[in-house]
């Protein structure tokens, strides 16, 4: 509806197949939302809304964007994610006032060279497309702070990316054809977070050691045999994650030797990498590294196939080796190292496994919360659970509508099999993942999942058939769960409608909170409630009493 004084018109989720002609007759309109409808095209008259500053078109079926949209000289925000776009008009560069452009979850193979005209752009999201390359003009965006390109088909990055003087975050994970990074990344003065995990990198430029603002470097799940140890000396670098790479003996030893004197607070390696070292070499290096070294087990898998990382409980395992704590810190001096193989034969260090599914950004985003759960333990036994981080770097909803589902299902089944109690958690895309594979769990907690992608504004760039298969698999997974399923949703209509797609059945509960936002998990975390929910589930699985005596129904 239109609020006359505010200049806003909200027609989101109205099942519109076309834009009402009357919209073009509102010249003073400043904000227009058409998200979550069934639009296949936009009328050229939209370009006549000369005062329009925000245009929401996410979650439709748009295959093309009319050039008229590029005449909106006042436009500051344009949201096009979750459509079927395979190209963009070259005139896009005329949107000189644009600060935020969301293109994720489409079918784009290229970006227009005219991007250089977006001189005010702060954030560009193009994850989950089919981009094979970037135009050199990408480096001519002086105000760009965040660039999300994960889940594409990039083969390389242009050297011109070194011109992004304001860039703070660069997400490249899940590009299975990306084998190298340009040295120019080391010259970016503001780059703080760089993720190129789950790609096909065979080398990393030593110039990253010169990156003055770099704090986080995620390169797990690549094909790195060597890693320049001097990168650990980058002035502000704090975390480096290298698990799931075929690092050679010399590379591992050199990294461990360089770690104690560096400013890095967390270096992630996996058990298989450390197991290569002779005991006489490994034990002193691991002891010297202390809590800076974080050790986990990694399940095998090729580039872009998803990342499985197991952090064991901090206790003596059946093999006599202690392992990681809630923050992933590896135990020093461990003499027996094992990994979770494809057949799931590894013996668990605990009876409870918490599986966290990463959301659309393609990163293991539950680590901080699960660390809080361990920290809240009153007795040591309350922290005695293992954690498996599962990430879909392709932003593909865990392959729910294609053959990728079987790959994830097989690996999850193998990883979960040794545990009598398995708890799945996830939010948004991660929540969908938790429901997809609910038949493998004894308890599931899913925050704001997408169940019916046909009516969701948050989705990949897939057609109706793919979406229908995913929905069928979600319903089947929930129906086959051998325990209880709790779906947590806020009061935002979009999320409520998604939760209502689930059938009424024994063991399924929909918990509604008075939070008008899709980011429900974040809102609960800020209020200290999310840790209580997960901790209660863990303690119940352990057969322990929850001393907080919290009831979910009384949280709000």
């Amino acid at each position: 509806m239109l609020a006359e004084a505010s200049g806003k018109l909200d027609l989101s989720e109205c099942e519109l197949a076309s834009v009402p002609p009357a919209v073009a007759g509102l010249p003073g309109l400043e904000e227009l939302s058409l998200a979550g409808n069934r639009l296949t095209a936009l009328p050229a008259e939209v370009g006549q809304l000369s005062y329009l500053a925000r245009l929401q078109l996410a979650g439709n079926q748009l295959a093309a964007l009319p050039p008229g949209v590029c005449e909106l000289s006042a436009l500051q925000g344009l949201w096009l994610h979750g459509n079927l776009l395979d190209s963009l008009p070259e005139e896009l560069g005329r949107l000189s006032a644009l600060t935020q452009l969301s293109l994720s979850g489409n079918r784009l193979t290229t970006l227009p060279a005219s991007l250089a005209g977006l001189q005010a752009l702060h954030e560009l999201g193009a994850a989950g497309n089919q981009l094979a390359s970037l135009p050199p003009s990408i480096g001519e965006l002086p105000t760009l702070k965040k660039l999300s390109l994960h889940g594409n088909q990039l083969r390389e990055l242009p050297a011109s990316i070194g011109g992004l003087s304001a860039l703070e975050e660069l997400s490249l994970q899940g590009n299975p054809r990306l084998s190298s990074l340009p040295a120019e990344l080391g010259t970016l003065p503001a780059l703080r977070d760089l993720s190129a995990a789950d790609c096909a990198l065979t080398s990393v430029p030593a110039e990253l050691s010169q990156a003055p603002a770099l704090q986080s470097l995620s390169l797990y799940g690549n094909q790195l045999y060597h890693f320049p140890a001097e990168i650990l000396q980058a002035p502000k670098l704090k975390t480096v994650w290298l698990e799931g790479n075929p690092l050679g003996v010399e590379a591992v030893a050199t990294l461990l030797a360089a770690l104690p004197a560096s400013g890095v607070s967390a270096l992630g390696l996996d058990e298989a990498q450390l197991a290569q070292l002779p005991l006489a070499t490994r034990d002193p290096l691991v002891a010297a590294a202390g809590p800076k070294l974080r050790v986990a087990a990694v399940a095998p898998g090729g580039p872009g196939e998803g990342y499985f990382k197991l952090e064991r409980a901090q206790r003596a395992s059946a093999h006599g080796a202690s392992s990681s704590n809630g923050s992933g810190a590896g135990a020093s001096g461990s003499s027996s190292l094992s990994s979770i193989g494809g057949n799931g034969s590894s013996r668990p260090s605990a009876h409870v496994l918490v599986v966290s599914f990463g959301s659309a950004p393609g990163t293991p985003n539950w680590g901080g919360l699960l660390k809080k759960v361990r920290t809240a333990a009153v007795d040591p036994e309350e922290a005695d659970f293992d954690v498996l981080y599962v990430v879909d770097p392709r932003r593909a909803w865990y392959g729910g509508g294609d053959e990728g589902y079987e790959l994830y299902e097989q690996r999850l089944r193998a990883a979960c099999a040794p545990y009598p109690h398995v708890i799945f958690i996830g939010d948004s895309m991660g929540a969908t993942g938790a429901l997809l594979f609910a038949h493998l769990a004894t308890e599931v907690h899913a925050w704001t999942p997408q169940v019916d992608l046909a009516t969701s504004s948050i989705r990949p760039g897939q057609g109706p058939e793919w979406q229908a298969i995913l929905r069928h698999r979600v319903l089947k997974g929930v129906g086959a769960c051998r325990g209880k399923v709790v779906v947590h949703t806020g009061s935002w209509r979009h999320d409520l409608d998604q939760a209502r797609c689930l059938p009424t059945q024994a063991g399924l509960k929909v918990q509604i909170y008075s939070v008008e936002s899709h980011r429900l998990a974040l809102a609960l975390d800020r209020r200290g409630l999310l840790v209580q929910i997960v901790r209660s589930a863990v303690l119940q699985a352990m057969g322990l009493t929850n001393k907080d005596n919290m009831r979910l129904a009384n949280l709000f």
Side-chain angles (χ1 to χ4, degrees), residues 12-384:
S12 60
E13 302 185 40
C14 292
E15 300 185 4
L16 296 176
S18 62
V19 180
V23 172
L26 300 171
L29 203 59
E30 296 178 5
E31 296 187 19
L32 173 60
S33 178
L34 293 163
N37 283 291
R38 301 175 182 175
L39 303 177
T40 57
L42 291 177
E45 289 77 12
V46 171
Q48 299 174 9
L49 302 174
S50 57
Y51 290 95
L52 199 63
R54 296 167 62 88
L55 180 56
Q56 289 268 11
L57 295 168
N60 280 285
Q61 300 172 29
L62 298 174
L65 191 66
V69 172
C70 304
E71 302 300 325
L72 298 172
S73 59
L75 198 63
Q76 298 176 21
L78 178 57
W79 291 268
L80 290 162
H81 53 274
N83 278 284
L84 301 173
L85 300 172
D86 55 21
S87 65
L88 296 170
E90 190 60 38
E91 294 87 348
L92 188 71
R94 296 180 183 176
L95 298 174
S96 58
L98 201 65
T99 61
Q100 186 169 358
L101 177 59
S102 178
L103 303 169
S104 297
N106 280 283
R107 300 176 175 181
L108 299 173
T109 57
T110 60
L111 296 176
S114 66
L115 277 179
L118 306 180
Q119 292 292 288
L121 196 64
H122 289 170
E123 183 173 341
L124 174 57
N129 280 282
Q130 300 173 24
L131 298 174
S133 63
L134 299 175
S137 59
I138 193 78
E140 300 176 32
L141 301 172
T143 62
L144 190 65
K145 294 183 178 182
K146 183 175 182 179
L147 180 56
S148 300
L149 296 167
H150 53 280
N152 278 284
Q153 298 294 322
L154 293 173
R155 296 179 180 272
E156 61 181 1
L157 300 180
S160 62
I161 203 167
L164 296 176
S165 58
L167 190 66
E168 298 175 358
E169 299 179 41
L170 178 57
S171 300
L172 298 166
Q173 60 270 21
N175 278 279
R177 300 181 181 181
L178 187 64
S179 60
S180 64
L181 299 173
E184 287 77 9
L185 289 178
T187 68
L188 294 176
L191 185 62
R192 183 183 69 245
D193 299 312
L194 172 59
S195 176
D198 282 306
C199 294
L201 298 180
T202 57
S203 64
V204 178
E207 286 81 359
L208 287 177
S209 64
Q210 305 301 316
L214 188 63
Q215 297 179 24
S216 175
L217 181 60
S218 296
L219 299 173
Y220 55 79
N222 278 286
Q223 301 298 314
L224 298 174
Y225 182 79
H226 172 72
F227 181 83
E230 58 265 37
I231 291 178
L232 298 186
Q233 305 304 321
K236 295 186 178 181
L237 190 60
K238 296 301 179 184
T239 60
V240 182
W241 307 105
L242 296 172
E243 306 97 327
N245 281 286
L247 292 173
V249 173
E250 182 179 351
V252 174
T254 303
L255 281 168
L256 291 176
L259 182 58
S262 74
V264 172
S265 58
L267 170 63
L269 296 176
D270 66 54
E271 295 176 350
Q273 291 166 342
L274 290 177
Q276 302 176 89
L277 300 179
L279 284 177
T281 301
R282 183 179 73 209
D283 285 359
L285 289 174
V286 170
K292 287 187 173 186
L293 177 62
R294 313 294 176 91
V295 184
V298 174
E305 293 180 4
Y307 183 67
F308 285 55
K309 172 181 173 180
L310 180 71
E311 288 186 349
R312 306 183 193 278
Q314 186 181 25
R315 65 190 291 269
S317 72
H319 300 288
S322 57
S323 57
S324 64
N325 62 20
S327 60
S332 59
S334 59
S335 59
S336 178
L337 297 165
S338 60
S339 62
I340 48 174
N343 59 8
S345 60
S346 175
R347 297 176 65 182
S349 61
H351 293 292
V352 176
L353 175 68
V354 177
V355 181
S356 76
F357 291 84
S359 54
T363 57
N365 56 325
W366 285 87
L369 185 281
L370 291 167
K371 181 179 179 180
K372 292 178 185 178
V373 173
R374 292 196 197 273
T375 302
V378 177
D379 301 312
E381 62 181 334
E382 294 181 358
D384 190 16

Side-chain angles (χ1 to χ4, degrees), residues 376-385 535 538-539 542 544-545 547:
V378 177
D379 301 312
E381 62 181 334
E382 294 181 358
D384 190 16
F385 60 92
R535 182 167 180 260
V538 170
L539 293 183
M542 291 178 173
L544 301 175
T545 302
K547 297 178 176 59

